[in-house]
Amino acid sequence: GRTVSVAVLGLALGFALLLVAPHSAPGVVFFAFWAFFSQMYQAPQQARLVELVPLQPGLILAMNAAALYLGMSLGSFIGSSLLPDLGAGPIPWAALGVLVLAGLAHLSSVRQVAAAATAERPVTPVHTS
């Protein structure tokens, strides 16, 4: 969960940096920064999903892949819809908006898993003499 959280924060920072300097030499570095974090989450997220649903690893990984493809399709659709009328400027803002929603969903998931893990721990009796 921590690695996915770092990746989401890195993506948000990357988009924010691209808003600051989209058409400059630093913009290329910022794009590389964003690209690094865009790939950082995949393996840890897959491992996390298999850990959460150990009896159905194929199904959960297939659902994850479907969600990724849906996200890529929606991102392309949103970007291509904004581009003709507004130019490229609003695209990082739209991406940040979607990323905020993804971050909130991830945070909720991490909290639910932590709460479930705490509830499942056996209580060790305390012996007093």
Side-chain angles (χ1 to χ4, degrees):
R2 223 175 297 140
T3 303
V4 176
S5 296
V6 168
V8 169
L9 288 172
L11 282 170
L13 181 59
F15 281 129
L17 290 170
L18 285 170
L19 285 169
V20 173
H23 304 292
S24 65
V28 173
V29 174
F30 298 157
F31 185 76
F33 178 87
W34 170 83
F36 171 78
F37 283 100
S38 74
Q39 299 302 308
M40 181 181 182
Y41 76 93
Q42 290 182 13
Q45 177 68 357
Q46 289 173 353
R48 185 171 178 269
L49 290 171
V50 169
E51 186 178 310
L52 292 172
V53 189
L55 300 177
Q56 298 283 333
L59 177 63
I60 197 68
L61 291 176
M63 291 177 67
N64 182 59
L68 284 169
Y69 290 126
L70 177 63
M72 287 183 252
S73 298
L74 285 173
S76 296
F77 174 74
I78 292 168
S80 66
S81 297
L82 293 175
L83 197 57
D85 294 329
L86 303 175
I91 292 175
W93 287 107
L96 273 172
V98 172
L99 191 58
V100 166
L101 295 176
L104 291 173
H106 173 66
L107 182 60
S108 173
S109 170
V110 168
R111 286 183 178 170
Q112 287 176 355
V113 169
T118 301
E120 291 177 4
R121 287 189 193 143
V123 177
T124 306
V126 177
H127 299 284
T128 57
S129 301

